[in-house]
Amino acid sequence: MKQTLFHEAERRGTPNFPISFYHVDENHPRYQMRTQWHSDVELDRVLEGNLTVQLGNQTYEMTKGDSLLIPGGVIHGAEAKHCVYECVVFAPTVLYSTLQHRTEAKRKLNKPVFFADNEKVNRIFEGLKNPDSGYEFQVVGNLYCLIYDAISRQKSAIQDTTDYRIDQIKTAISFIEENYPRTITLASLSAACSMSPNYFCRFFKEVTGQTPVEYITSYRVEAACEMLLAGNTVTDTALTCGFNDLSYFIHVFKKQMGISPKQYAKIYKE
């Protein structure tokens, strides 16, 4: 899979109900799920087509009706093929009604788990898609039941493939997220990971399917998408996202998104 690696630090939902819902089809700017990591818990459900999921160094196939619960801190990404899928991402604090819940969730919810045609999963998504009075209780109640199912199925849970090198790359991802508008050198990235440049490049591509340079370019294009939808001009967007050459920006944007920046802004803003 050809992906980018991304440390996602987005705030979820509202302070009182930190849960976000995403419906993703081929028209969505993030149709291909970048290889990423975040501290929140993620629940993905496939509605149509195929979703090839990468967890650490392992790959899995998901089809209609399949869902996946991913604890915080797990590196993951996915390649969509004629796919429609949905994601629920929530802060772990949703589960912390008592200190015991906090301790148990942190200790036991530590591996991704697949489900097939799970009714609890479906109720969670439907509650967020069609909220009514008191829907928060319905959603959180089903989340607790699903977490119980996941913990009770630890023997069938996906094996943890994380090693210290992936934690080092997480440091590099944070560095890129903070510095992408500026020049980022291979030396600075590899130093952030405490790796030699050559070893860092090999491992980065092994995990993400892309070289560090390819990743940085893709990350900048996605940042540009957000700026364009916020009403910024193509020139200002290019410069702010680290592209000093406008022609090059338009070229790589069209290569990744399939349309020019101007066309993208017009279509998706409408």
Side-chain angles (χ1 to χ4, degrees):
M1 288 185 293
K2 187 177 182 181
Q3 301 173 337
T4 59
L5 191 57
F6 178 54
H7 171 213
E8 191 174 13
E10 179 181 343
R11 174 173 287 183
R12 309 296 176 188
T14 66
N16 291 329
F17 193 60
I19 298 180
S20 293
F21 166 80
Y22 307 93
H23 179 88
V24 184
D25 57 23
E26 294 185 6
N27 296 319
H28 196 282
R30 294 187 180 182
Y31 176 59
Q32 302 298 344
M33 186 189 297
R34 294 177 293 183
T35 306
Q36 58 187 279
W37 71 279
H38 44 68
S39 59
D40 297 326
V41 183
E42 182 170 332
L43 178 63
D44 301 328
R45 176 177 71 162
V46 176
L47 301 180
E48 297 177 15
N50 298 86
L51 195 65
T52 303
V53 180
Q54 182 177 333
L55 297 167
N57 296 324
Q58 298 187 28
T59 301
Y60 304 86
E61 296 293 333
M62 294 178 64
T63 58
K64 182 178 179 179
D66 292 341
S67 55
L68 171 63
L69 182 68
I70 308 173
V74 175
I75 289 183
H76 61 282
E79 181 179 19
K81 298 176 183 177
H82 308 293
C83 187
V84 178
Y85 63 97
E86 294 177 331
C87 308
V88 170
V89 188
F90 61 94
T93 52
V94 168
L95 306 173
Y96 298 166
S97 59
T98 68
L99 180 60
Q100 181 181 2
H101 288 162
R102 177 189 180 100
T103 302
E104 290 298 298
K106 283 189 172 183
R107 183 167 66 91
K108 295 182 178 179
L109 184 62
N110 52 25
K111 295 180 181 178
V113 179
F114 282 110
F115 298 93
D117 296 314
N118 187 282
E119 187 57 34
K120 300 181 187 70
V121 171
N122 294 336
R123 286 198 291 265
I124 291 167
F125 279 95
E126 294 309 311
L128 290 168
K129 289 169 66 176
N130 303 292
D132 56 14
S133 179
Y135 79 99
E136 297 92 342
F137 294 99
Q138 186 258 40
V139 169
V140 174
N142 280 288
L143 275 175
Y144 271 114
C145 292
L146 189 68
I147 297 303
Y148 171 78
D149 287 351
I151 291 173
S152 67
R153 290 176 49 193
Q154 282 301 300
K155 289 184 179 180
S156 62
I158 297 163
Q159 296 301 309
D160 185 7
T161 60
T162 302
D163 60 29
Y164 76 96
R165 298 174 302 169
I166 290 181
D167 286 334
Q168 289 173 311
I169 282 189
K170 288 181 180 179
T171 301
I173 300 165
S174 298
F175 180 88
I176 294 168
E177 183 182 40
E178 296 169 2
N179 294 282
Y180 75 90
R182 296 175 285 277
T183 299
I184 300 176
T185 65
L186 178 58
S188 63
L189 271 179
S190 58
C193 291
S194 301
M195 295 180 177
S196 69
N198 287 340
Y199 184 78
F200 171 77
C201 285
R202 288 198 303 271
F203 182 65
F204 193 93
K205 188 166 185 178
E206 177 186 333
V207 173
T208 69
Q210 286 189 307
T211 67
V213 172
E214 289 170 336
Y215 154 67
I216 293 170
T217 301
S218 297
Y219 184 93
R220 286 170 170 164
V221 168
E222 289 206 6
C225 290
E226 297 177 1
M227 286 195 64
L228 290 168
L229 294 182
N232 293 277
T233 67
V234 173
T235 300
D236 286 345
T237 296
L239 294 175
T240 302
C241 293
F243 294 98
N244 296 321
D245 185 318
L246 183 59
S247 297
Y248 177 69
F249 167 65
I250 294 172
H251 170 73
V252 296
F253 188 100
K254 189 171 184 179
K255 182 178 180 180
Q256 181 168 326
M257 303 305 298
I259 53 178
S260 70
K262 188 174 181 179
Q263 291 171 321
Y264 177 87
K266 183 177 186 300
I267 292 171
Y268 285 100
K269 283 175 69 174
E270 290 179 352

